[in-house]
Amino acid sequence: MNEEQGYKEDGLKSPHQNVSAVLPRSSSGTGVPDVQLEGNPVVDQDSHNQFASKVAIAVDPVALITTECITVTSAMRKHARWAHSSVSAILGGTPSSYRNGTSAAPKLRGSRADLNRPSNGISGRPDGNDDDSLTSRWGLRGKKGKSMQDNPLMSAFARLRSDLKGCKDIRQFDIPSLLHPFLQVIRSSSTSAPITSLALVAITKFFAYNLISRDSPRLSLGMQLLSAAITHCRFEASDSAADEIVLLRILKLMEGMLSGPGGDFLGDESVCEMMETGLSMCCQMRLSELLRRSAEISMITMCQVVFERLKHLEDELGGDITALEGSATDGEGAELKMDAPLKGSNAASPQPNAFNAPLSPNLEVSKTQQDGQDSRSSTSFDQQSERNGLGMTQGENSSSVDLPQGAVSGLGEVTDIKPYSLPSIRELFRVLVNLLEPHDRQHTDAMRIMALRIIDVALEVAGPSIARHPSLASLAKDHLCRHLFQLVRSDNMNLLNESLRVVGTLLATCRGVLKLQQELFLSYLVACLHPRVEIPREPGIDPTLYEGVPHVPKLVKQPPSSTSSGRSTPVPVKDRQKLGMEGGSRKPDAREAMVESMGALARIPSFLAELFVNYDCEVDRSDLCEDMVGLLSRNAFPDSATWSTTNVPPLCLDALLGYIQFMADRLDDDPVTEGYPDKLKLREQRYRKRIIIKGVTKFNENPKAGIAYLAAQSIIENPNDPRSVVRFLKGTTRISKKILGEYISKLQNEPLLRAFLDLFDFSDKRVDEALRDLLGAFRLPGESPLIERIVTVFSEKYCANSTPEGIADKDSVFVLTYAIIMLNTDQHNPNVKTQNRMAFNDFSKNLRGVNGGKDFAPEYLQGIYDSIKNNEIILPDEHDNKHAFDYAWKELLLKADSTGDLVTFSTNVFDADMFEATWKPVIATLSYVFMSASEDAVYQRVVAGFDQCAQIAAKCNVTAALDHIVYCLATITTLGPDNPPNTTLNTEVQAGKKSVMVSELAVKFGRDYRAQLATVVLFKGVVAGNEAKIKEGWKHIIRIWLNLFMNSLVPPTFVQSNALLEMPPIPIQSPSHVVNRGERSNESGLFQSFTSYLSSYAADDPPEPSDEELNDTLCTVDCLAACPLEGIFSSIMLLPSASLSALTEALLDQLPQDSSPRVMVVKPEPGSPTKPNGNRVTMTSNYDPRIVYILELAAMLAIKDEDSTAAVGKDVAEALQNVVRGSANSHPVIVSRAVFYLLHLLNVSHEHSFIRAPVILHTISSLNQTTMEKSALPVLKGLALCMRGPRPLRNEIANTPDFWSTLRTLHSITDAASSVFDLLVGIMAETPSAITADNYEFAVMALNDFATAGSAGAMVEQKRDRNVRRSKKVKPLNHRESEVVTRGAKAVTMIFQLSSRVPALIEQSHLERKEAWTAYWSPIFRALSTQCINPCREIRHQAFSGLQRALLSPELASANHQEWAAIFGEVLFPLILQLLRPEVYHSDPIGISETRVQATTLLCRIFLHYLVLLSEWDGMLELWLKILDIMDRLMNSGQGDSLEEAVPESLKNILLVMANGGYLISPSENPENSTLWDETWKRLERFLPGMFREIFPERVQSAPTKAEPPKMEGAVGKPEEEPAEAKQG
């Protein structure tokens, strides 16, 4: 058969033999069926079956099978070996007994092992004799007259064709019978590759066209036979291409079998053989690359199905893992072994048309040798053929196959074979893991990469299930991790990438059982990837923005001391790095691969949180979460590209942002705590861990100080108890083994050494084993005395309980221990040559006679020698080789047993603590990237990161993080520099009703896009909504607000200030120049600019802003408009009191510190108010609007509610009082508003002890006149507010003298007088009254001041009188003058009204009657008397009326007391005397004359009113004589007819009343009362001669003495001489 015919028969050009037409391809085009691998994949048994697709066939199935039989036999007949087949082979044999779907098809006998039982031939009959059916041929005889017997392969097809006759439903046909002839061809070594390929294509079709289904008879047996056939396939080699096609078809058929309907019927041994076959093809380097890759793809697909089966097994057993494990370790499952694929090193390169090496342990190829003879020999490459029963017998024209005897007998029953389960899965996993052994040189890196890819798929499909099964988990925890962690140190990039991928998948799916393994891997990555250099300084980036990035990871320990004990195994640094004992330096591509692996893990939503809980919160574990975040942060900086690749920084940044994103996504989830560690307990563990780390650090530097610190922190219970100390030292991994060994071996610490050895149990251990345990706990010191002390105590401990057999005493142990130490050094020191190393004889010779005078048993010493030689005693901190890694790995596994599983979760309850521990490097990285980024995509991600960090910090109450975010963004905005920008050149540009302030700050900010973006993020994303959580960050926000306010970029008032304070906007400095572009002409261009510049230069003004500067300013305005500043202010006013302290403190910290001494008084220059635009005034140089801004906002915060007042009122009040006290150094505007804020605060906080009304009022009253004038209205507004406040406050203020002093000072200020008077009116009108005994006089004095001020109306009245006399038109009073007079008149009325309260005040005062009368009546009479001489007639008349009514008040006088009599000497007499003064008279000549008459009349009236009471008073005579003297002066005042008529009439009336009342009686009638009569007569005769006689003519005539009236010498109360001016008046 020529090559072309062979290819044609192989099916490459035959449509029905095209494998691609039979096998459906995946969507990816790789030939691997699509399998859904998402999360925890669940693959349906039929969905992954590439043969399960229902392919409709247009031909009859029976005809199709017949055609396939003819196709195979036709190809065989073209071969010389089968060229003389009988006619029956073409026509088909005698029909077999096909009844009800059964035939004489093969059946298995006994067990699965019978499949490989050797057979001497194939017989169609039970006895195996088939001669009769094969000898009849139509006229054909063999040589020498013998008939030719058909080859069994040919006759099998004939029988199948015969059996198919009459078959109606092929799906009911017996599967073993259907497959039997094809399987013989596959297993026969005499068939060529094309023939074998045709048989494989036929079977593939049967599956593809669904001719074989799950319901087919004896499918399980058929699958076992098919599996045995294709895994033991043998054929003659022709050429490599045709042979590899056969192998490829075997791969596809195996793939289809496992994933097809009969895959579940395959047994464990069948699956193992199939996997073994596939792995062999993958590992045979002599095969073509295409075939090996195809084999790898098929293996991946089959492993997907096999490991998917693991999950179905769990479901079938209801999750009973124990039962599944038990079935795998009992019976055949425990004996099942799968051979590793042939080593690549043994494979020869392919040669033309021949295979010179075995394909697999089960696959064989026979080579046809052409030596001039027509002889064929079969070359078997199967070293296991005898074990598998693959014997071959060949004749010249016949061949026999090794199908089982029972396969064709049809006799006996078949024991059901269990579907494959955990044993085969475990064995496959074991073989794949063993392929990764890094120190097995027979395994190439290509084989390891192939195995890694398959393992990765297995983990993707069934990783969690692997972790749940102890037998599989043990492989993963030990061998798989150990191999992987060494492979990741490889310099082969392909191997490194695959290893990292598998590690990532392993940790993603099985990390729950890999706690310590995960720690080891991640620690290695951190050590490798974390740069040890400082972050380079970048111009324009503040280094404080990235201070939180760690320079060294926490897990990095201090390098061991350079001193060595001499017993270590020195290893070059490069080798140590490769062993993984150090991070080492990796190539840039390797670093990038590691970063990608770490990023893949970080993309697991809960991964870093799990690290935090399982490692950072455990005392003995590393701070992996912090180190991971620190690593990602540090490598996100651009400089990391210098030692890695340019992809590393963005990869790290993406992982870091993903970490934040996951936490932000979990923020609103309901916290789930059940089944998870207690959060509070974890916090305690972290706190304890920090203490232990600090203490251990101290111990490693100074052991005594470390123990003292740990004892002080209660970590070591009793530092004087050696057992307590050594328990901690031995159980803490962070203790330096070197320091520990030196410390406990010192002489003074021998109790510690003995206690330390008491922690070990040396029972039933050989000396070297006990010593190995001991020296693993600390490093043996280098000094001989210290070593001797340790060995001595060890010897005593070893023999303490009982001397072991073969040991004489502790001295023997002492010598033997020293010998073992020396032997360990000798055997494993690389500086000692091999030929010079100690042999056993030398070792035993050195120990002769030291065992109590005898020798140690040779076998005892031989065991010690072999143990030390083969397994070095590893001394901690000194060994870095493969043995050290193995030792460390064993230690890790031992710890893993007691450590427990890793806690996995998806809850958010630990996010707050985790974020608090890791926010610093995250925010530092975001700040640096934000400052250095140039792409919009980067800005977008970083902005989102800032926003999410702020949300997390606020939600988790991590205020320090939120404050730092505020600081970073505030720094980037450039709006809050330490030195505020200059505002002297600010220019206001007006256009119609709109205006904008062009300033240096606005222009610079408008040109900085980064600063604008940071501002929006700060206020819109960070501050807004989080106002209650910000603490230290307020000072940066306040600084920004102040700068914006100074440059008119925010409103000069707060929205809430109108409601709370009712104050006008804060005045700010006027711009240096105002440009009105609305009124400008339409000129433009260069001429306009030149003209503007010249005009500005001539006027010495700054040049007008350019259009570019104006546009920049407008950009600033737009940016700030996008920031919710008003909303933030509104939220601030709603802050709870607990959150106000930080804000208030930040506000007050911005106040300038006044360093000038208080004794200096600097009077500020008064400013001239102008209003060019808005609420701006030209201020002096010491006016700082920011101070007012700060004070107003602070005051608003303090007064908004009671809780706020209690929280921040004290600080605000102190600040305000400091400003008021330093009024001499402050601008009046600042002082005035500070006074108002202070009074407002007093109104709401009067109940608190930190503020007192008398203190504040005293401070206000101490203001100088200029400041008081500037502050009048705010002060009055604040006082009025307080007087409307609570009654206790009103009373306290009203009773404070400084209050009335302030009012009296303010009333003189024209603009303030009205407010002061209104305040007084309010006080007087209060119910109950605020006028008390303590403030009564102050109130009268204040009202008297207003009444006195009303004298301003006198000039108008007199002018009006003159105009009337001249018949001129009388002009009315202007408004101001009218108000003054009205207030004066009302004040007089109010003074009189106070008299009604006098009796009650006297009663309440508990003073003596005279003192009380003086205290309460006198002020009223003095005030009214004073106003009775007021030049203003209206006020004077009002006062006189009030005085008269007061004097006539029934409460004034009392019969029991005579203090009221002072109204004459203290009120009436002084009033008349004042009226007689010339200056008083000249103030209103017309009106005063009338007043004098009224006064005279009033005097007489009052005298007569109280005459009865006066008559009983001893001073009656003196008073009466004083009245007569006053009348004398009035008569002689020279006023004119008014008094000359009024005085006599008044006196006449008095005398008559007195006479009628019996008070004035002539001596003739009553000699005892002659004095009053005589003195009256004498006085009257002086200024009214004859009047007495005229009134009492009869009495005077009847008087005994008819002489002249008595002389005046003895008179009392002689009036003073009247001034000449009065007489002339």
Side-chain angles (χ1 to χ4, degrees), residues 636-648:
F637 282 71
D639 68 304
S640 64
T642 57
W643 55 79
S644 55
T645 65
T646 55
N647 296 326
V648 167

Side-chain angles (χ1 to χ4, degrees), residues 1473-1526:
L1473 291 177
Q1474 287 293 327
L1475 289 172
L1476 293 175
R1477 295 179 67 86
E1479 60 269 22
V1480 174
Y1481 175 78
H1482 289 302
S1483 65
D1484 184 15
I1486 299 175
I1488 292 298
S1489 298
E1490 182 181 352
T1491 304
R1492 287 177 177 179
V1493 174
Q1494 292 176 347
T1496 302
T1497 306
L1498 177 62
L1499 176 60
C1500 297
R1501 183 177 180 183
I1502 296 302
F1503 179 77
L1504 291 175
H1505 182 74
Y1506 296 106
L1507 181 59
V1508 177
L1509 296 176
L1510 289 173
S1511 64
E1512 300 175 2
W1513 181 40
D1514 294 339
M1516 168 67 177
L1517 177 60
E1518 185 181 357
L1519 175 62
W1520 170 242
L1521 294 179
K1522 182 68 173 176
I1523 292 174
L1524 292 178
D1525 290 341
I1526 292 296

